[in-house]
Amino acid sequence: MEHNLQHTISLLARTPAALNALLRDLPEALTLQNEGENTWSAFDVVAHLIHGERTDWMPRARTILQFGETQAFGPFNRLGHIRESQGKSLAQLLDEFARLRSESLSELRTLNLQPDDLARRGWHPALGAVTLSELLATWAAHDLTHLHQISRIMAHQYRQAVGPWSAYLGVLQCAGHSAP
Amino acid sequence: MEHNLQHTISLLARTPAALNALLRDLPEALTLQNEGENTWSAFDVVAHLIHGERTDWMPRARTILQFGETQAFGPFNRLGHIRESQGKSLAQLLDEFARLRSESLSELRTLNLQPDDLARRGWHPALGAVTLSELLATWAAHDLTHLHQISRIMAHQYRQAVGPWSAYLGVLQCAGHSAP
């Protein structure tokens, strides 16, 4: 399906500032807590976004433009964020994400993609044929899935404190966790 | 359950800036679209947050401190946001929300609430006895439920465009909608 690339770029450009406004200098009781064993904290999510910026989105776009379907995307390491975040503060991660995203979008704008480019296909190792348009739309939706996740992780820290109101808060009923 | 009021204030203080960074000047295809009939757009959600600021959170806190359980909270009009938003732009709503939230938190800080105050009980017309602590925790979790909702509403606009990646995006599987 086609989508509006300018809208997608608008959204992608806003994510670092939105996460910065939400998370910077927030108490660690909110940013370093997760939803239980083997789940991520808000800190982990920002590190994951950094890892995606380095290894997923623009690298895959380049693979499509250069090789089409003849070369499958390299694997994406969902635990790659651990390496990205070691020894860093959340403030450092937020700065790094903003810088990398800005570089990615600068490269994307320079490509000046036309409808024919957006229709080009690449090969995803699990999903098969995908278009460049789908990849770029997924990049934006992926930002949103992680903003959705961060809201849920932080709301989880309030699960007991809200008392009977928990029944009214949709975020506490969410089972929309991303697949591995 | 007890909760840390200073953490809650930190979170409440950040929501207007986070929504501003995410939504201001974003294309209307993302901010005015909803998830289908009788659902809200991001614009509607900001208007709802404004309505809550005027009629829900601090007014209910005052009711608890003044009347305890002897006076039930007034009803909250979940459609009150329609009046709040008529004829306004999203930029105006974002400004208004930031101003009202700042006033609410200024009043909250001035109250200088102590543990005994936070344990005071009020009466919710449907939930029965609730504490001031629960009300304030719910205020923060309510911000998060709506940030979660806005992420989901905007991701919904990408449902077709992401193609086969939809299977991997948790936000597209979310059924954590708030109860009326």
Side-chain angles (χ1 to χ4, degrees):
Chain A
M1 299 288 291
E2 272 203 60
H3 83 283
N4 186 315
L5 181 59
Q6 292 316 310
H7 291 183
T8 290
I9 291 175
S10 294
L11 187 52
L12 289 169
R14 279 166 175 74
T15 306
L19 292 179
N20 188 68
L22 184 64
L23 299 176
R24 187 177 292 259
D25 298 329
L26 200 62
E28 294 189 346
L30 289 165
T31 58
L32 296 187
Q33 294 298 310
N34 62 21
E35 297 174 281
E37 204 179 348
N38 292 321
T39 64
W40 290 359
S41 64
F43 178 91
D44 294 330
V45 173
V46 178
H48 166 76
L49 291 170
I50 287 172
H51 190 63
E53 219 61 24
R54 287 197 203 284
T55 68
D56 190 339
W57 309 108
M58 286 307 296
R60 287 182 171 190
R62 286 194 291 269
T63 299
I64 293 177
L65 291 170
Q66 197 169 353
F67 300 106
E69 294 176 72
T70 66
Q71 183 173 311
F73 302 144
F76 179 74
N77 180 0
R78 282 187 79 256
L79 297 180
H81 68 276
I82 294 167
R83 199 184 59 218
E84 300 288 353
S85 62
Q86 259 162 3
K88 294 180 187 159
S89 67
L90 179 56
Q92 286 175 300
L93 294 187
L94 289 164
D95 288 342
E96 195 171 349
F97 178 49
R99 180 176 58 76
L100 291 170
R101 174 59 57 90
S102 170
E103 290 171 9
S104 299
L105 293 182
S106 173
E107 181 184 354
L108 178 59
R109 289 190 188 97
T110 302
L111 290 174
N112 189 24
L113 297 171
Q114 301 303 311
D116 280 359
D117 301 314
L118 291 170
R120 290 196 64 180
R121 290 169 156 213
W123 193 261
H124 185 286
L127 298 172
V130 290
T131 66
L132 180 55
S133 173
E134 288 166 347
L135 175 72
L136 299 175
T138 300
W139 188 4
H142 179 267
D143 276 11
L144 293 170
T145 213
H146 286 296
L147 183 58
H148 184 256
Q149 180 185 21
I150 287 173
S151 315
R152 193 188 66 224
I153 297 165
M154 297 209 296
H156 179 75
Q157 315 313 320
Y158 281 93
R159 196 171 284 276
Q160 302 305 317
V162 299
W165 266 292
S166 62
Y168 289 4
L169 292 163
V171 68
L172 297 179
Q173 275 81 50
C174 173
H177 298 221
S178 289
Chain B
M1 298 290 292
E2 271 202 60
H3 82 283
N4 186 314
L5 181 59
Q6 292 315 312
H7 293 182
T8 292
I9 291 175
S10 294
L11 187 52
L12 289 169
R14 279 165 174 74
T15 306
L19 292 178
N20 188 68
L22 183 66
L23 299 175
R24 188 176 292 259
D25 299 329
L26 201 61
E28 294 188 346
L30 289 166
T31 58
L32 296 186
Q33 294 299 310
N34 61 21
E35 297 175 281
E37 203 178 349
N38 293 323
T39 65
W40 291 0
S41 65
F43 177 91
D44 294 329
V45 173
V46 179
H48 166 75
L49 290 170
I50 288 172
H51 189 63
E53 219 59 26
R54 286 196 204 285
T55 68
D56 190 338
W57 308 107
M58 284 308 296
R60 287 181 170 190
R62 286 194 291 270
T63 299
I64 293 178
L65 291 170
Q66 196 169 354
F67 300 107
E69 294 178 72
T70 65
Q71 183 173 313
F73 302 144
F76 179 74
N77 180 359
R78 281 187 80 256
L79 298 178
H81 68 276
I82 294 168
R83 196 184 61 217
E84 300 289 352
S85 61
Q86 259 163 6
K88 294 181 186 159
S89 68
L90 178 56
Q92 287 175 300
L93 294 188
L94 290 165
D95 288 342
E96 194 171 350
F97 178 48
R99 182 176 58 77
L100 291 170
R101 173 59 58 90
S102 170
E103 290 171 7
S104 299
L105 293 182
S106 173
E107 181 185 354
L108 178 60
R109 289 191 189 96
T110 302
L111 289 174
N112 188 25
L113 296 172
Q114 301 304 310
D116 280 359
D117 301 314
L118 291 169
R120 290 195 64 178
R121 289 171 155 210
W123 193 261
H124 185 287
L127 298 173
V130 289
T131 66
L132 180 55
S133 173
E134 287 166 348
L135 175 73
L136 299 175
T138 301
W139 189 4
H142 179 267
D143 275 11
L144 293 169
T145 215
H146 286 296
L147 183 58
H148 184 256
Q149 179 185 21
I150 286 173
S151 314
R152 193 187 66 223
I153 297 165
M154 298 209 295
H156 179 76
Q157 315 313 319
Y158 281 92
R159 195 171 285 276
Q160 301 306 315
V162 299
W165 267 291
S166 63
Y168 289 4
L169 293 163
V171 67
L172 297 179
Q173 275 81 50
C174 171
H177 298 222
S178 289

